[in-house]
Amino acid sequence: MEKFEKMTAIAAPMPLINIDTDMIIPKQFLKTIKRSGLGVSAFHEMRYQMDGTENPDFILNQGAYRNANIIVAGDNFGCGSSREHAPWALLDFGVRCVISTSFADIFYNNCFKNGILPVIVTDEELNLLMNDAEKGSNARMVIDLESQRIETSDGEVIKFDVDQHRKHCLINGLDDIGLTMEKMESIDSFEKKMAKNTPWI
Amino acid sequence: MAPKTLYDKIWDAHVAHQGEDGTCLLYIDRHLVHEVTSPQAFEGLRMSGRKVRAPEKTIAVPDHNVPTTLDRLKRIDNEESRIQVEALDKNAREFGVVYYPVDDIRQGIVHIIGPEQGWTLPGMTIVCGDSHTATHGAFGSLAHGIGTSEVEHVLATQTLIQKKSQNMRVEITGKLSQGVTAKDITLAVIGETGTAGGTGYVIEYCGEAIQSLSMEGRMTVCNMAIEGGARAGLIAPDETTFNYCNGRPNAPTGKLWGAAVDYWRTLFSDDTAHFDKTITLRGEDIAPVVTWGTSPEDVLPITAIVPAANDFNGGKVDAAQRSLDYMGLTPGTRLQDVEIDAVFIGSCTNGRIEDLRAAAEIVQGRKVQDGLIAMVVPGSGLVRLQAEEEGLAEIFKQAGFEWRLAGCSMCLGMNPDQLGPQVRCASTSNRNFEGRQGRGSRTHLMSPAMAAAAAVTGKLTDVRELM
């Protein structure tokens, strides 16, 4: 997993609430057996018209936002299915950070497993960031995970919370499985205890 | 001892390791696997030279991509679908996990066959790379969806890195009125809480109306906990649960059965246990409902009218307008006047035998309206067989429904069962998102009886008028 430390990038405003995983990556792209290559299909039904051409009204088809690496989104981003194809598609498009007032639980988890930082902010903070994102190519937002700060293009600073274990893994690009493997003795002894206590399992 | 909720008890019984920052390794008793969210995980194992730690606790079945037409045992036409199903076949055999291939009568939707085969039992932790894993909470097991990275983690270590959620209690008091089902309960709750209302919580459903439900009804309720934002829904196990489990192929027998039931009887929330949030609905107040928009929270009684965007507040105003445009609905229209083009009865929400019985009861002696696409897709091969033995299949066929083989089918249309643009569907599935059943298609969620009623009238219909 790629490390996440600090980034300065264009942020795309997507104020719609309840942007679900079917919007982020529709079903027909879940048939892949790989993790890569989904970026071109991210937000497919919003991004492309029925004839396959780009929808000019969609934010990520507009000017500087084609190169956005941050999304500022309405409430409950990523609701719906557990498909990790959603963060894979965002990552492959180039998105490394999503900011919203809330995220669906499984999507939120999946982001951290893929080097994407989901940031939860208040309603007022989201308004501020949405306005900043709407400035387009003139605006660069700074996301600093180490100090847990977002800086708008005007230099306004917003602090955010993040789970310290997840932060550690993200900053160091650590693989969960490797970390858990170090605790194999605990798992072994737990399994022995379970075999005695609940042998029907 | 401090009083505990049901969730607290199951959690505490499964913590294999706790770190200084409170991060836990939760031991996983059952890992269900399907073809869509597992290939990258098995590939990850292969690349790092790891094995499946507990293949006997890992159950794999293809369900999302499989065609439901009678000729499906010949090659799957869609190449990507075929590759994905073949990958599961190869991975299941190579890593030695329990496997129900597509030609096995026990094949079906993963959340239908887990309980059916007795893999799902009270007090367990159950995960699957699928958000509707919440279904299994009906047994008083902690069950939730995970992403593919976590699938790989569970395959390799039989644990999951977790932080504990908060406790939420949803009580449905009293009795349900005629025509009101488990599906109406679960949709009514989401209408009340919103799709983010359960975020960060595990929900325990309780109250007389919940206790009165069969196991299949309880599965329908818990199935859609995720649509309310909760990772998991739980219902405390009781005699209904034990009776359902008893005699299932993988349930314990003899002395072990007795020991298991003794343990399962301890799985309830203590009287004074703390819940961080409580919601109470009166069973009598719940009507047969349908969704009108593109979020499962867009729920209204069938007797209501289509709302206007400015009936809502905040970000929901724009979202509601977008939904109305997408759904092609005019505010003020009676929901009962909305004409439909298709009916889908099936899915992990409503693809069990009782769902088919409820639908057949309405359909019997009636005909599907001319020109409608109408299909019934049983949740498993065994449900299909039972429905045929009970004469339900014949009722559906006589009425003009297509009678299909088991799979996820038109709930999400990863197989050929998809709808075209602007096609309006009365569906017993769980999500009405834009494009869910096919690009541009329009989904109204409802119970099997309500979907059956819509099939025979060609409109969204109050099932009580046909009873």
Side-chain angles (χ1 to χ4, degrees), chain A residues 27 48 84 105 109 163 191, chain B residues 27 149 231 412 435-436:
Chain A
K27 60 184 143 274
Y48 303 104
E84 200 160 316
D105 209 23
N109 256 323
D163 176 83
E191 234 170 25
Chain B
Y27 191 81
S149 295
R231 270 207 147 191
L412 83 167
R436 177 75 178 179

Side-chain angles (χ1 to χ4, degrees), chain A residues 21 31 33 41 45 61 96-97 104 112-113 128-129 138 144-145 148 162 168:
Chain A
T21 50
K31 295 181 182 181
I33 56 171
S41 309
E45 290 177 13
N61 289 334
R96 296 293 311 274
C97 175
F112 285 102
K113 312 285 183 195
L128 181 84
L129 294 170
N138 298 324
D144 185 349
L145 179 55
Q148 298 178 211
V162 61
H168 175 73

Side-chain angles (χ1 to χ4, degrees), chain B residues 232-265:
Chain B
L234 287 172
I235 295 173
D238 59 11
E239 294 306 319
T240 304
T241 322
F242 309 148
N243 289 337
Y244 179 97
C245 295
N246 197 359
R248 299 266 160 196
N250 296 287
T253 55
K255 268 190 181 162
L256 272 185
W257 171 258
V261 172
D262 286 347
Y263 172 63
W264 296 343
R265 286 190 200 286

Side-chain angles (χ1 to χ4, degrees), chain B residues 137-158:
Chain B
F139 291 79
S141 51
L142 178 60
H144 58 79
I146 55 178
T148 298
S149 295
E150 290 178 316
V151 169
E152 185 179 342
H153 192 279
V154 177
L155 288 173
T157 70
Q158 205 57 27

